[in-house]
Amino acid sequence: MTDPIFILFIGVLIVVGGIIGLKLHPFLALLLGAFVVALMTPASAIEQFALARGSAPAAALALSKKSIGERIATEFGSTTGKIGILIAMASIIGKSMLESGAAERIVRSLLNVTGISRAPLSFLFGSFFLGIPVFFDTVFYLMVPLAKAMTLRLGKNYLLLVLCITAGAAMANSLVPPTPGPLFLISEMQIPIGMMMVGGTLVGLVTVAAGYPFAVWANRKWPVPLRDSIDARLEDIQNLNARQDQDLPSLWFSLLPILIPLVFISADASLDSFFDSGSLAAQPVFTQKSVGFIRFLGEKNIALILGAMAALLLLVLQKKGDREAVSTSMQAALMSAGIIILITAAGGAFGGMLQQTGISERIAELTQGYQMALIPLAFLITAVVRTAQGSATVAMITASGILSGMSNIGHLEYHQLYLGLAIACGSKLIPWMNDSGFWIVCKMSNLTEQEALKTFSPLLTIMGIVGLIVIVIAASLFPLV
C-alpha cells in the first residue's frame, strides 16, 4: 500500500478518471489526486525524499511532520511562484496583440515572406530557435496569439500550428543550453557546453522534422476549430482580420512585445558564457554595472512585464486612449490567466506529492540491474521518471544523477555527450495530466484534455523516440573519443 508505484497508479486513476470519466474540472481532479497521494505517502518516505534532495536532517524531519494541506499548499505555491507572473503577463501580451492588430500585422508580414503553404514550417523552426534562449512556456505564450491570427488568415490548420509551436519549443527546452535541464546535465555529466549546444541543436532539428509529419496527419484526422475564449473571441479576431493594412500598427511596433523579452532573456543567458562571479569582480565598474543592468532586465518575470507594458502601450495607442475598452480587454486577459494559473499550480502540487513518495528512487532501483546499453538505459530511466512525476527537468536531473555515478562512465566507447542527449530526449515521454506544460498547452490553445492526449502527447513521444534512434546511430558512427 505504501509502494510508490502503487501510489502512482492510484493517483493516475483519480486524475484521469476524474477528468475524463467524471467530468470533474481539472483543478479539482488534480487537487483530489494530490490529496490522495499525500495521504497514502508515509512520513518516512517524505523524510527520505527531503534527505535525498540535500535537506538537513532537521528540515527533512520537519517536512515529514507537516500536515497534508501544508505540503500541498507549499507545492501549489511553488508552482505559482514559477509561472504565475509569466502567465498573467503573457495573457496581457496575447490579448493586447490580438486587440491592437499587432498579431494580424505579424501574420500578414510572415505570409508575405514564406507564403501560405510554408506557414506551419516557419512556426515549427521559429519556435525551436526561440526555445533555445527562452523557456518553453514563454515561447508558447508569445506565439499562440500569432497561431490564432494565422488560422483566421488561412481558414484552417489551427491544430497544426499549435503542434508546430509545441514541437519546436519543447525539444529546444530539453536539448539546448541555457535552459535548466541541459545546464544541469552538462555539469553533472561533464559535457562541454559548446558541444551540448551543437549536438542538441542537430538532434533537435532532426526530431522536429520527424514530428512534423505526425502533426500534419493529426491535423487532418482530428481537426480542431479555433474556439471562442474569454480573452480571444472569434468575432473580435475576425474583425481584426478584416482591417486594412493602414489601420494596423507598424511591424516593428507589433514585434516589440515579443522582441523585448526575447532580447533581454537571451542577453542575460549569453552573459553566463562570458562572466562568472569571479571574473566579473575583476572587470571595470562600468562593465559590472552594465552586466547587472542586463541581468535585472533579463530575469524572465521582469522581461515579460516589460513585454506586457509594450503590448499595453500598443493597445492604448490603437484604441485612441479609450480607457474603457482597454480596461475590458485587460479584465478578460487576467480572468483567463487566473484559470490557467490555478490548473497549472494544481498540476504542480500533484507532481510534487508524487515526488515525495520516492517514485524517482524506486524507479532507479527497478532499472539498476538491467543489462542493457547505457544510451537506451539513460533514455528509459528518464522517460519513466518523466511519465511518473511530470517534470522534464526533474526527470533529467534524476537520470543524470543515476548515470553519472556509474563506475564505467569513464570507460565509454563514445563521448558522454550521447548519454546527455539520450536523457534529454527521454524527458519528452510522456506528457500528460501531471505535467504543468500539458495544462499550459491545453488552456492557452483551448484544446480539450482528450485532444491534447491524442495529439500533443504522442507528438513529443514520437520526437523523443526518433531522437534516441539518431543518438544511437551517431554514437556508433561518430563516437567523438
Side-chain angles (χ1 to χ4, degrees):
M1 294 291 288
T2 60
D3 187 286
I5 302 295
F6 179 74
I7 297 175
L8 168 66
F9 173 76
I10 297 299
V12 170
L13 187 65
I14 289 171
V15 173
V16 177
I19 293 173
I20 296 179
L22 301 179
K23 306 298 182 184
L24 284 179
H25 191 280
F27 173 72
L28 297 177
L30 288 163
L31 276 189
L32 180 60
F35 174 78
V36 173
V37 168
L39 186 65
M40 296 178 67
T41 305
S44 58
I46 300 169
E47 186 176 0
Q48 188 59 43
F49 162 82
L51 290 172
R53 295 301 185 275
S55 298
L61 182 62
L63 177 63
S64 68
K65 291 183 176 180
K66 280 188 176 182
S67 68
I68 291 173
E70 281 184 290
R71 288 191 285 122
I72 292 175
T74 298
E75 294 296 331
F76 185 93
S78 174
T79 305
T80 304
K82 293 173 184 175
I83 53 88
I85 293 176
L86 293 176
I87 290 178
M89 294 303 104
S91 187
I92 290 174
I93 291 173
K95 179 65 172 176
S96 298
M97 289 183 67
L98 284 171
E99 288 282 334
S100 65
E104 178 65 23
R105 167 64 74 185
I106 293 171
V107 166
R108 292 185 188 184
S109 301
L110 190 62
L111 285 176
N112 289 337
V113 174
T114 66
I116 291 178
S117 61
R118 290 188 293 273
L121 285 174
S122 67
F123 272 68
L124 179 70
F125 292 105
S127 66
F128 180 82
F129 287 106
L130 281 176
I132 293 174
V134 181
F135 289 126
F136 166 79
D137 48 4
T138 307
V139 175
F140 194 76
Y141 301 148
L142 293 175
M143 293 194 70
V144 160
L146 304 185
K148 292 179 178 179
M150 181 69 83
T151 301
L152 279 179
R153 171 64 56 175
L154 300 176
K156 58 181 180 178
N157 292 344
Y158 178 59
L159 178 62
L160 176 58
L161 294 173
V162 169
L163 291 180
C164 285
I165 295 171
T166 57
M171 295 311 296
N173 184 69
S174 288
L175 282 164
V176 188
T179 47
L183 282 179
F184 184 88
L185 269 181
I186 61 177
S187 62
E188 192 78 1
M189 311 288 290
Q190 299 180 356
I191 303 169
I193 185 170
M195 184 175 282
M196 186 70 184
M197 291 183 76
V198 173
T201 299
L202 293 174
V203 172
L205 290 174
V206 173
T207 57
V208 298
Y212 183 72
F214 172 81
V216 173
W217 176 82
N219 181 67
R220 289 175 181 164
K221 186 170 180 61
W222 303 297
V224 175
L226 185 58
R227 300 179 177 121
D228 266 321
S229 62
I230 296 174
D231 62 326
R233 293 172 60 242
L234 289 183
E235 183 181 350
D236 296 337
I237 303 176
Q238 287 167 345
N239 290 337
L240 290 168
N241 194 40
R243 285 188 189 179
Q244 299 297 316
D245 283 350
Q246 59 268 25
D247 296 327
L248 298 174
S250 62
L251 179 60
W252 73 267
F253 203 171
S254 300
L255 287 169
L256 270 186
I258 295 176
L259 288 179
I260 287 175
L262 176 64
V263 169
F264 285 144
I265 292 172
S266 300
D268 178 46
S270 66
L271 288 177
D272 294 331
S273 304
F274 299 100
F275 301 106
D276 55 34
S277 56
S279 64
L280 182 60
Q283 298 296 321
V285 174
F286 176 78
T287 302
Q288 294 182 34
K289 290 187 177 296
S290 299
V291 169
F293 182 66
I294 293 172
R295 290 200 185 281
F296 170 74
L297 296 179
E299 196 278 323
K300 60 182 180 180
N301 290 295
I302 299 296
L304 262 293
I305 289 172
L306 293 175
M309 291 173 62
L312 195 54
L313 175 61
L314 181 60
L315 179 62
V316 170
L317 292 177
Q318 287 297 115
K319 293 291 185 181
K320 313 296 184 185
D322 186 345
R323 294 183 180 180
E324 185 175 348
V326 173
S327 176
T328 300
S329 298
M330 291 307 97
Q331 287 178 12
L334 293 176
M335 284 174 62
S336 175
I339 296 171
I340 297 169
I341 291 169
L342 283 175
I343 294 173
T344 305
F350 178 55
M353 292 304 99
L354 284 175
Q355 291 176 40
Q356 290 182 12
T357 64
I359 185 68
S360 297
E361 289 75 13
R362 183 78 173 95
I363 290 169
E365 292 173 8
L366 292 174
T367 56
Q368 202 167 26
Y370 282 11
Q371 298 299 312
M372 56 194 306
L374 275 180
I375 290 178
L377 177 63
F379 180 88
L380 175 64
I381 292 174
T382 317
V384 174
V385 175
R386 163 64 194 271
T387 304
Q389 52 74 53
S391 169
T393 301
V394 170
M396 293 170 73
I397 290 171
T398 301
S400 60
I402 294 168
L403 292 168
S404 64
M406 289 185 174
S407 59
N408 63 342
I409 198 167
H411 307 287
L412 295 174
E413 297 178 353
Y414 44 81
H415 198 281
Q416 59 265 35
L417 166 69
Y418 293 111
L419 279 182
L421 293 173
I423 289 172
C425 288
S427 71
K428 298 296 95 181
L429 283 70
I430 297 168
W432 63 287
M433 295 169 180
N434 64 347
D435 173 25
S436 60
F438 176 90
W439 294 109
I440 289 170
V441 170
C442 274
K443 299 307 170 184
M444 292 294 288
S445 62
N446 293 336
L447 296 181
T448 67
E449 291 81 17
Q450 292 92 331
E451 286 169 346
L453 287 171
K454 287 191 300 186
T455 58
F456 167 64
S457 299
L459 173 67
L460 263 62
T461 302
I462 289 169
M463 291 192 297
I465 293 171
V466 169
L468 172 63
I469 296 170
V470 170
I471 293 162
V472 170
I473 295 172
S476 302
L477 297 178
F478 310 103
L480 302 179
V481 292

